[in-house]
């Protein structure tokens, strides 16, 4: 019996079914010099998928700044690593699980959390915080409620079980996500800076070890699925959905960290998308060596699995490790103790080839380097997004009293409280959470120290759609501002680029534009990209999502006690607005929710002013000169003031300066601004003048209502009711 | 008419609960259990007396609520 008789014959037609174009098929033949086996085709097809090869995005991603003195490891490994002083490092990354979450929201989101956790603890870090960035379709769409409920339960179900707090995130709604929701999960971990683990295989003859759960037929070709558009019938053609097992993940975390405390590990890599294929190819490729595996030895959950299925399975909670010779017994004892599978499945070789054997036959014998180095790389044609006109705030005056408009805005889907979501997450496990959802950033103490990490996720897709360059810069700037607003020094970001079909020049133009804006912002704000993920083909029936470069930012508070939050603290404190207000109304939520117009140019981002204002605010917080701080974003000034009042259960009296346009002043979304409260306004104003930072006295805290110009008022309780009502009522189905 | 609905995970879908049961059996000394798959059992008391109509109604309940057909299969037994 020859191996050919066991596997389908490979043809250009079969390759096309597995996502390889005719050109890519030819390229594969040039590399192999013969018709590849079916298993080999599977390996090419996933390694050269958009998801694994970044073939459409790589040329652009290369432009992002990735270095800084505090960057220990930038993009290319499982996650990014930054120095946070005292010999410690923070390791983090954000990753999408969009397609699986649309098909099976609970398990899709849960395994998304599991996957990003593994990316972080693979590198030697104990995960200390999770975040997420979610985009759903219009609340009126029939699937939206079901998707929110499943995704949120899945994130909570997995995250809560593994004992890692979920400390924040963001959620948006827009009809462009009706057929393609975005579920981006982020994990931050903590490690010793001199104990970081990488994935490059080394040491010829070293054992290659499989640990974790058994392999089943889960999610075969998930990576390829993530690289194609949805059509009406793709809901029927789905592969076996991956089911997560958070308790096994918890055991895997503890077992891996225990093994990492010994000196047994040469290299380690989690099995994520494309499972054993991508992990073994990446380990061999990075080490410029070969790997030979005996697939009979892979722990299997099902009988009769083919080599193709074993290599392509996306079963969860698995790791591949290269051990030092002679350490197998030590490692096995640890995994036995944690009741996890452990199997030596192969060796590192000097051939530079991936050799796979099963039942005594060779199913794959491929040179590793070309799988990675000669993966297709496309400079896809792109066209710039045409600019939209600026909109004059005076042309869209307030249709009623400002507080009535505030009342409507604060309860609209994009601004309503997310309490219903984050109350399902364990945000406190570990007892190091200082600030959780509802503020500008999550803040988590570095266990056993006085330091804390601030973490945020951010992006404003409607800005990115209207002007990708401005939107890309804004996403980075807002993440930077969120971290600054709690008092942290922003250190680095991870990016999760969610876009439509890159083969359309218009979509590729959105990608290129967002990258350009991000490059500008990362450079000026000294905020490098250390890890990231790209999710393309987020389209259904040819309709793409709003471009969404979700940014996950991490910052450091050298003294956790300095952290401030958004809540008004006491009556009689001065409220100051830092940063310039021009009244930019284009793409504002005011324009969309009140005037029904989703249009205009988004706010420009003056990066030099952004940096100047932010550095000034951070300095104030560091000197304990302010009692509360909130950065301004969606909804503008009055929404920010309302959020501060609701958080502090305390009102304020606000004066709108005479001669300003009320709509622009109260609801414009100009960038680079913060509201602070202080008991020494004169000192803050003097400091701002000296630093060249615009500052404006807005009013004073006090009372139980938000009062404008002495007349127009709304009670803080009334605001709170409107703010808290929408999401629970929507989820209960009582809004119909 | 009574309907009994058995909902089980599709073949090949990981069953963490089944795995936990198997593990517990093993630690209690029940050897020789190679694999455990668990599911749920739902009993419905129906006003419907026509078999075909009942079958159709329960099918629809399974599709819409009782089973998550992305990862679960269901089996219906009708009894008078």
């Amino acid at each position: 019996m020859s191996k050919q008789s066991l596997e389908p014959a490979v043809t250009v037609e079969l390759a096309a079914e597995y996502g390889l174009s005719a050109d890519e098929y030819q390229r594969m033949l040039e590399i192999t010099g013969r018709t590849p086996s079916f298993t080999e085709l599977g390996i090419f097809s996933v390694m050269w998928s958009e998801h694994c090869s970044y073939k459409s995005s790589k040329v652009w991603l290369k432009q992002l700044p990735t270095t800084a003195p505090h960057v220990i490891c930038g993009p290319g490994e499982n996650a990014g690593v930054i120095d946070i002083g005292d010999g410690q490092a923070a390791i983090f990354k954000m990753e999408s699980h969009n397609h699986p979450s649309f098909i099976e929201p609970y398990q899709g989101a849960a395994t998304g959390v599991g996957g990003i956790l593994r990316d972080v603890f693979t590198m030697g870090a104990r995960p200390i915080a999770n975040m997420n960035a979610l985009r759903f379709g219009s609340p009126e769409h029939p699937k939206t409620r079901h998707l929110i409920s499943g995704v949120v339960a899945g994130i909570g179900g997995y995250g809560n079980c593994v004992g890692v707090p979920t400390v924040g995130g963001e959620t948006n709604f827009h009809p462009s996500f009706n057929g393609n929701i975005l579920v981006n999960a982020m994990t931050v971990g903590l490690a010793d800076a001199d104990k970081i683990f990488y994935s490059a295989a080394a040491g010829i003859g070293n054992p290659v070890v499989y640990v974790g759960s058994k392999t089943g037929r889960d999610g075969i070709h998930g990576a390829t699925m993530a690289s194609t558009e949805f059509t009406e019938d793709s809901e029927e053609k789905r592969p076996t959905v991956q089911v997560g097992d958070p308790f096994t993940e918890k055991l895997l975390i503890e077992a891996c960290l225990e093994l990492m405390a010994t000196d047994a590990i040469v290299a380690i890599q989690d099995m994520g998308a494309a499972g054993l294929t991508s992990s073994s190819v990446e380990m061999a490729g990075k080490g410029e060596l070969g790997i030979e595996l005996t697939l009979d030895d892979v722990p299997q959950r099902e009988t009769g699995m083919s080599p193709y299925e074993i290599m392509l399975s996306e079963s969860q909670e698995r790791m591949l490790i290269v051990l030092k010779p002679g350490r197998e017994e030590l490692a096995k004892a640890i995994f036995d103790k944690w009741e996890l599978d452990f199997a030596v499945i192969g060796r590192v070789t000097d051939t530079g080839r991936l050799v796979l054997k099963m039942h005594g036959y060779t199913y794959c014998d491929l040179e590793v380097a070309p799988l990675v180095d000669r993966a297709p790389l496309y400079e896809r044609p792109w066209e710039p997004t045409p600019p939209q006109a600026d909109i004059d705030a005076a042309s869209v005056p307030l249709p009623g009293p400002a507080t009535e408009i505030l009342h409507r805005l604060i309860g609209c889907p994009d601004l309503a409280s997310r309490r219903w979501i984050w109350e399902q997450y364990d945000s406190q496990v570990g007892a190091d959470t200082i600030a959780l959802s509802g503020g500008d950033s999550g803040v988590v103490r570095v266990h056993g120290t006085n330091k804390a990490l601030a973490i945020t996720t951010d992006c404003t897709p409607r800005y990115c759609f209207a002007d990708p360059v401005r939107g890309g810069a804004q996403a980075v700037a807002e993440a930077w501002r969120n971290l600054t607003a709690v008092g942290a020094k922003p250190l680095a970001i991870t990016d999760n680029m969610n876009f439509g079909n890159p083969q359309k020049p218009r979509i590729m133009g959105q990608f290129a534009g967002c990258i350009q804006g991000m490059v500008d912002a990362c450079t000026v704000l000294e905020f490098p990209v250390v890890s990231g993920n790209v999710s393309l083909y987020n389209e259904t029936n040819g309709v793409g999502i709003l471009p969404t470069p979700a940014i996950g930012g991490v910052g450091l508070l050298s003294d956790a006690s300095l952290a401030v939050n958004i809540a008004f603290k006491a009556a009689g404190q001065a409220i100051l607005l830092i940063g310039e207000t021009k009244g930019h109304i284009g793409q504002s939520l005011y324009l969309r929710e009140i005037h029904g117009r989703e249009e205009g140019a988004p706010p420009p981002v003056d990066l030099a002013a952004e940096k100047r204002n932010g550095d000034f605010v951070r300095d104030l917080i560091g000197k304990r000169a302010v009692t509360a701080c909130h950065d301004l974003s969606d909804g503008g000034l009055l929404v920010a003031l309302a959020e501060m009042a609701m958080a502090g259960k305390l009102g304020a009296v606000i004066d709108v300066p005479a001669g300003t346009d009320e709509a622009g002043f109260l609801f414009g979304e100009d960038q680079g601004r913060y509201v602070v409260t202080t008991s020494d306004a004169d000192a803050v104003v003097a400091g701002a003048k000296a630093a060249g930072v615009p500052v404006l006295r807005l009013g004073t805290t006090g009372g139980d209502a938000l009062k404008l110009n002495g007349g127009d008022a709304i009670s803080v309780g009334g605001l709170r009711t409107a703010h808290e009502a929408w999401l629970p009522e929507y989820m209960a189905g009582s809004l119909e | 008419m009574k309907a009994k609905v058995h909902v089980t995970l599709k073949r090949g879908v990981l069953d963490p609960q089944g795995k936990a049961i198997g593990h517990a059996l093993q630690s209690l000394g029940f050897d020789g259990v190679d694999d455990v798959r668990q599911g749920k059992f739902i009993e419905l008391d129906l006003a419907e007396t026509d078999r075909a109509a009942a079958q159709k109604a329960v099918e629809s309940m399974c599709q819409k609520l009782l089973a998550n057909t992305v990862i679960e299969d269901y089996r219906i037994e009708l009894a008078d």
Side-chain angles (χ1 to χ4, degrees), chain A residues 103-104 107 213 217-218 238 240-241 243-245 248 301-302 317 339, chain B residues 9-17 19 23 35 37 68-71:
Chain A
I103 292 173
E104 204 326 273
Q107 294 297 345
S213 286
R217 292 185 175 93
D218 315 60
R238 54 208 153 200
T240 317
V241 170
V243 169
D245 180 356
T248 298
R301 200 174 76 223
E302 299 178 59
E317 294 96 22
E339 300 172 344
Chain B
L9 286 166
K10 284 188 171 156
R11 209 155 51 91
V13 173
L14 177 69
D15 180 359
Q17 203 178 335
K19 209 167 86 180
H23 202 81
D35 193 21
R37 306 280 292 169
N68 174 359
T69 53
V70 179
I71 54 173

Side-chain angles (χ1 to χ4, degrees), chain B:
Chain B
M1 180 173 296
K2 279 198 163 52
K4 295 176 177 182
V5 181
H6 300 260
V7 180
T8 50
L9 286 166
K10 284 188 171 156
R11 209 155 51 91
V13 173
L14 177 69
D15 180 359
Q17 203 178 335
K19 209 167 86 180
I21 295 168
H23 202 81
L25 287 174
Q26 205 182 3
S27 43
L28 288 170
F30 293 100
D31 292 331
V33 180
D34 287 339
D35 193 21
V36 181
R37 306 280 292 169
Q38 54 75 48
K40 64 188 171 193
F41 170 68
I42 301 156
E43 215 169 23
L44 304 165
D45 221 337
L46 304 171
E48 183 64 64
T49 51
D50 179 67
R51 235 183 143 76
Q55 176 77 25
K56 205 173 153 210
V58 178
E59 287 268 353
S60 172
M61 293 176 207
C62 287
Q63 291 281 348
K64 288 200 173 128
L65 179 71
L66 303 180
N68 174 359
T69 53
V70 179
I71 54 173
E72 291 172 330
D73 286 329
Y74 58 86
R75 187 164 55 80
I76 301 166
E77 285 171 27
L78 293 175
D80 300 311

Side-chain angles (χ1 to χ4, degrees), chain A residues 690-725:
Chain A
V693 169
V695 63
L696 181 72
R697 285 178 197 244
L698 289 172
T700 312
T701 57
D704 56 7
L706 208 51
K707 274 188 199 159
L708 294 178
N709 298 328
D712 188 12
I714 183 165
S715 79
V716 177
L719 278 171
R720 214 180 159 76
T721 305
H723 187 56
E724 296 290 349

